[in-house]
Amino acid sequence: MKYGSAYLASALAASVVMVAPASGQETDWTKRVTQSTIGGHVMGNPLARHKLTEYMSYTCNHCAAFEKESHSALTAKYVNKGHISFEVRNLVLNPIDLTAAMLARCGGRTRFFGNHRALLMQQSKWLTKFQSASPEVMKTINEGTVPQRLKKIAIAAGLDNLMKGRGFTAPQIDACLANQAEQDKILAMTEYATSTLKLTGTPSFTIGDQPLAKVHSWTALQPKLAVLPQ
C-alpha cells in the first residue's frame, strides 16, 4: 500500500506530538501504555530504541516471581529512561490462565498493568483456592459456553472478588470474560509465541522480537538490559 507525502507528514507530526514531554517537563514513561498490533500491552516510549517483550502465564510461579523481583528496577532504571519499552504478551497454558488473562484486560489499556500486577502478586492465593475446589465444582466448570466456563473458573478461584476489589462490577467482569475480540488477541499471542518464536516456557523474553536463550528470570534478564545502549 502506498501513502502520499501529506499522509506521511501528518503521521510523523502525530508521532512527534505523542512522545513530546508535556510543558517541557521530563516524561514519566511508566505512565504511557499503548497496545501493539498483536494485542500486547506496552509500557513506555512507543518509539523506544529497544523493545523488550515478556511472554507469560498467570499460573506460572516463575512469572509471579519475575513481577515481584523486576518491577521497581525495570520501571525506574530502564523503561522510565525512554530507551526500553516493556510489552506483556500471553502464552496461555490452561483454562484458568485464560480466565486471568481475560480479566487482566478489563478496563482497557490504562488499567492493564495494575490488573496484571494484582493478579500476579495474589497468584498463590487464588491458585490455591481454585485447586482446593470440590469435585462437584470442578465438574460443572466443563459445562456451558466458554464465557460461562470462564465465569465459573473465576468464581471458583475468587478472581471475581479480586477484580471487584479493584473497582469492577459483576456485569463488567462478566463482559470482560465474554469479550471474544480480547480472547482472540490472547490466543493469537499464544500461537505466535509457540509456533513462530518456538517458545516452550514462561516467562520467556525477546528483545526486538529475538528470543533470549536461557533467560527466564529477572536475574538472567537484567545483565542483558544493562548493556543495551541508551
Side-chain angles (χ1 to χ4, degrees), residues 100-147:
M102 295 285 281
L103 293 174
R105 303 175 80 84
C106 279
R109 60 182 175 81
T110 60
R111 297 295 304 273
F112 174 78
F113 279 100
N115 293 338
H116 172 77
R117 182 165 174 78
L119 286 162
L120 288 174
M121 296 299 284
Q122 298 184 51
Q123 182 196 79
S124 60
K125 179 179 179 180
W126 55 260
L127 263 184
T128 299
K129 182 175 175 62
F130 181 76
Q131 291 165 350
S132 63
S134 69
E136 292 75 20
V137 169
M138 298 302 292
K139 181 180 178 180
T140 64
I141 284 174
N142 296 318
E143 301 171 350
T145 65
V146 171

Side-chain angles (χ1 to χ4, degrees), residues 42-191:
V42 183
M43 177 194 298
N45 182 357
L47 302 182
R49 183 175 182 179
H50 310 288
K51 300 184 184 299
L52 168 67
T53 301
E54 176 192 9
Y55 288 86
M56 56 78 61
S57 161
Y58 286 103
T59 56
C60 159
N61 63 328
H62 297 293
C63 298
F66 174 77
E67 174 65 22
K68 294 174 184 177
E69 295 165 4
S70 72
H71 182 75
S72 296
L74 177 60
T75 54
K77 293 178 62 176
Y78 300 103
V79 174
N80 204 31
K81 290 185 178 181
H83 69 298
I84 296 177
S85 63
F86 174 55
E87 179 175 357
V88 173
R89 294 186 182 181
N90 300 102
L91 199 169
V92 172
L93 303 178
N94 49 65
I96 189 173
D97 185 10
L98 175 60
T99 304
M102 295 285 281
L103 293 174
R105 303 175 80 84
C106 279
R109 60 182 175 81
T110 60
R111 297 295 304 273
F112 174 78
F113 279 100
N115 293 338
H116 172 77
R117 182 165 174 78
L119 286 162
L120 288 174
M121 296 299 284
Q122 298 184 51
Q123 182 196 79
S124 60
K125 179 179 179 180
W126 55 260
L127 263 184
T128 299
K129 182 175 175 62
F130 181 76
Q131 291 165 350
S132 63
S134 69
E136 292 75 20
V137 169
M138 298 302 292
K139 181 180 178 180
T140 64
I141 284 174
N142 296 318
E143 301 171 350
T145 65
V146 171
Q148 289 171 341
R149 294 179 187 183
L150 296 182
K151 181 177 179 178
K152 292 175 185 178
I153 291 172
I155 293 172
L159 289 171
D160 57 335
N161 288 328
L162 185 156
M163 296 304 290
K164 288 175 183 176
R166 292 190 49 73
F168 294 95
T169 65
Q172 288 174 326
I173 293 169
D174 290 347
C176 290
L177 292 173
N179 193 320
Q180 186 63 51
E182 295 301 303
Q183 184 181 132
D184 290 344
K185 292 175 184 177
I186 292 167
L187 297 180
M189 287 184 273
T190 298
E191 176 67 17

